[in-house]
Amino acid sequence: DIQMTQSPSTLSASVGDRVTITCRASQSVSSWLAWYQQKPGKAPKLLIYKASSLQSGVPSRFSGSGSGTEFTLTISSLQPDEFATYYCQQYKSYSLTFGGGTKVEIK
Amino acid sequence: EVQLVESGGGLVQPGGSLRLSCAASGFTFSSYAMSWVRQAPGKGLEWVSAISGSGGSTFYADSVKGRFTISRDNSKNTLYLQMNSLRAEDTAVYYCAKDPYTEPYYFDYWGQGTLVTVSS
């Protein structure tokens, strides 16, 4: 199985900050990578697919980049509603795998 | 509007069985792959199983292979997960998730989840 590793596991930030989360794959997944946001007690929400394509309805302050084994999710200006946990997920192989998550906390 | 509503969760003893259901509406169910994704209390997301739109192809995580069976009834717009030989480590919220394609890739819609607790 392809292993996905996110860093950091926890990130402290303030409203308005630029936030960057990294996701690394144990082998190349090309651009077959998605990002999700999850708030406590809620289902995950799709933000980005194919590494850099913004899902419909998601604010443009979210962006994704990367290919191969290294990817980033960037929030250009963190909003109060965006303190949450973020996950990456590869779909290069049919054994789909998620990263361990990055919790974005209020500083 | 896409809606996914899971049911069937509950408390079950180790070694027991449970069948989860996911009722889908708001889209052409048979055109899309579907998956089950779980989340143990306080932990991250774990993909469990997927099924193609036609139901002809199924996929499983190693952790559940041989114990869980995914299926779908396209005439009823319903996804199922039959879980046998349950273990304590299967305790989790189980989410039903829709793929934007006929084969499993990523998930554009999720249900609200159903809690499965395996305990004596």
Side-chain angles (χ1 to χ4, degrees):
Chain A
D1 287 2
I2 300 174
Q3 308 302 317
M4 308 301 293
T5 303
Q6 288 183 233
S7 61
S9 55
T10 306
L11 186 160
S12 296
S14 301
V15 172
D17 282 356
R18 182 181 182 87
V19 168
T20 298
I21 298 168
T22 298
C23 176
R24 290 187 173 88
S26 60
Q27 63 189 77
S28 176
V29 299
S30 186
S31 294
W32 306 122
L33 187 103
W35 289 96
Y36 302 88
Q37 175 194 68
Q38 187 181 33
K39 297 176 184 177
K42 300 294 186 182
K45 172 187 172 183
L46 177 66
L47 300 174
I48 301 282
Y49 61 94
K50 207 174 177 185
S52 61
S53 296
L54 193 67
Q55 174 67 355
S56 176
V58 174
S60 58
R61 59 181 171 273
F62 289 91
S63 63
S65 65
S67 65
T69 62
E70 188 154 337
F71 302 86
T72 58
L73 173 70
T74 300
I75 309 172
S76 61
S77 178
L78 191 66
Q79 298 302 297
D81 190 41
E82 292 158 4
F83 290 95
T85 301
Y86 294 84
Y87 295 92
C88 61
Q89 177 237 322
Q90 67 79 22
Y91 51 103
K92 172 69 164 61
S93 80
Y94 282 148
S95 185
L96 310 175
T97 47
F98 289 90
T102 295
K103 185 175 182 180
V104 178
E105 297 183 327
I106 300 173
K107 183 184 285 185
Chain B
E1 178 194 6
V2 171
Q3 287 201 324
L4 300 170
V5 180
E6 302 95 334
S7 60
L11 175 63
V12 61
Q13 293 189 337
S17 298
L18 210 56
R19 188 176 86 154
L20 305 183
S21 298
C22 171
S25 61
F27 63 102
T28 305
F29 184 66
S30 60
S31 294
Y32 301 99
M34 298 292 295
S35 281
W36 290 97
V37 177
R38 69 184 180 184
Q39 187 168 36
K43 302 297 184 183
L45 300 170
E46 180 189 16
W47 171 78
V48 171
S49 182
I51 187 167
S52 63
S54 67
S57 299
T58 57
F59 310 87
Y60 298 93
D62 287 344
S63 58
V64 306
K65 203 170 292 184
R67 300 188 298 123
F68 290 12
T69 301
I70 192 171
S71 61
R72 64 192 296 160
D73 185 336
N74 286 345
S75 68
K76 295 182 178 179
N77 289 352
T78 303
L79 175 72
Y80 303 100
L81 185 68
Q82 177 66 44
M83 304 186 295
N84 298 332
S85 303
L86 282 161
R87 307 166 180 167
E89 55 264 37
D90 295 319
T91 294
V93 173
Y94 284 73
Y95 294 102
C96 158
K98 172 190 169 292
D99 203 286
Y101 299 99
T102 58
E103 299 295 322
Y105 292 119
Y106 59 93
F107 315 113
D108 56 354
Y109 290 93
W110 298 65
Q112 84 289 348
T114 188
L115 177 62
V116 172
T117 303
V118 184
S119 174
S120 55

